[in-house]
Amino acid sequence: MLRAIYDWVDERLDITPIWRDVADHEVPEHVNPAHHFSAFIYCFGGLTFFVVVIQILSGMFLAMYYVPDIVNAHASVNYLQNEIAMGAIVRGMHHWGASVAIVMLFLHTLRVFFTGSYKHPREFNWVVGMLIFAVMLGLGFTGYLLPWDNKAYFATKVGVEIAASVPVLGPYIAIFLQGGDIVGAQTLARFFALHVFFLPAALLALLGAHFILIRRQGISGPL
């Protein structure tokens, strides 16, 4: 049955060359755990991507129930948490997955740095990776406010105040984040839009560039 479906799709889209190009791509020996124990440090990038996929899928589920306004936001989270089947599990996956993604990305960045994988000819990919790190931190910051409870409110308030302390541009950054002079309805709306639309779009674009560069330049050599 699956073979028939594959043949039907392949006849119309010619996906076999693409699949063969991916499946038959050789992986260097030094990233094979069967030959080198240190190869496990090369898994952090793939694990980060796996967690990001979980974040996207769980976030899509959460967005079906979340109401992004200050009157209903907290109640919608409570409803999802306590009334929807498996809601608490999915929200827990998204909540803890955010922390796991940052940790895995940090470990991946350390691996790239200490193995010298950012050097010629991979300098541009290092820059792309740093932009991915910044976007991931932005996703964590904007998502923290969405439950709209006391912890989220005051943590965001502190974060905005830190941003406001940036020389010259600080006040403008604070106004952009808050949407006004205080953390309120406009702030929640902006953080929701950033968290669900703008930052994920930037992340997907950067990940696409990251994977294309890895494919073209190959995996870096051993330490």
Side-chain angles (χ1 to χ4, degrees):
M1 180 64 180
L2 292 177
R3 182 64 187 182
I5 294 174
Y6 178 86
D7 291 340
W8 187 89
V9 174
D10 185 49
E11 185 179 2
R12 287 152 181 80
L13 301 179
D14 194 25
I15 61 175
T16 295
I18 300 174
W19 165 246
R20 287 300 180 192
D21 184 53
V22 174
D24 295 341
H25 186 68
E26 292 187 3
V27 176
E29 183 178 342
H30 67 278
V31 301
N32 187 345
H35 297 118
H36 299 278
F37 178 77
S38 61
F40 286 104
I41 65 174
Y42 287 87
C43 296
F44 294 135
L47 290 173
T48 303
F49 177 69
F50 176 72
V51 176
V52 167
V53 171
I54 292 177
Q55 290 298 97
I56 293 173
L57 295 177
S58 60
M60 292 168 64
F61 176 82
L62 297 179
M64 294 173 65
Y65 296 94
Y66 182 72
V67 182
D69 67 66
I70 59 175
V71 176
N72 299 299
H74 187 63
S76 67
V77 173
N78 277 337
Y79 176 74
L80 169 70
Q81 182 89 14
N82 301 311
E83 303 295 334
I84 302 300
M86 307 283 290
I89 294 176
V90 177
R91 190 193 171 208
M93 291 171 60
H94 197 75
H95 174 79
W96 293 108
S99 298
V100 173
I102 296 298
V103 171
M104 298 308 301
L105 185 57
F106 180 68
L107 292 174
H108 178 58
T109 303
L110 289 179
R111 197 280 300 168
V112 172
F113 179 78
F114 284 111
T115 58
S117 301
Y118 61 90
K119 297 179 181 179
H120 176 81
R122 299 177 176 85
E123 304 94 333
F124 184 66
N125 211 7
W126 171 261
V127 174
V128 172
M130 291 297 98
L131 292 175
I132 291 175
F133 208 139
V135 170
M136 291 290 287
L137 292 175
L139 283 165
F141 180 61
T142 54
Y144 201 84
L145 178 65
L146 300 186
W148 196 247
D149 53 15
N150 284 333
K151 183 173 69 172
Y153 174 83
F154 287 107
T156 301
K157 192 174 176 64
V158 171
V160 172
E161 290 174 355
I162 293 173
S165 66
V166 174
V168 183
L169 297 176
Y172 301 100
I173 296 175
I175 292 175
F176 170 76
L177 292 175
Q178 292 182 156
D181 297 326
I182 62 170
V183 175
Q186 282 292 332
T187 314
L188 183 63
R190 290 198 176 199
F191 274 42
F192 177 77
L194 288 169
H195 189 75
V196 175
F197 299 111
F198 292 97
L199 291 177
L203 178 63
L204 292 176
L206 289 169
L207 284 175
H210 194 60
F211 292 145
I212 290 172
L213 289 171
I214 291 173
R215 188 58 191 271
R216 291 200 172 191
Q217 298 165 351
I219 298 175
S220 61
L223 180 66

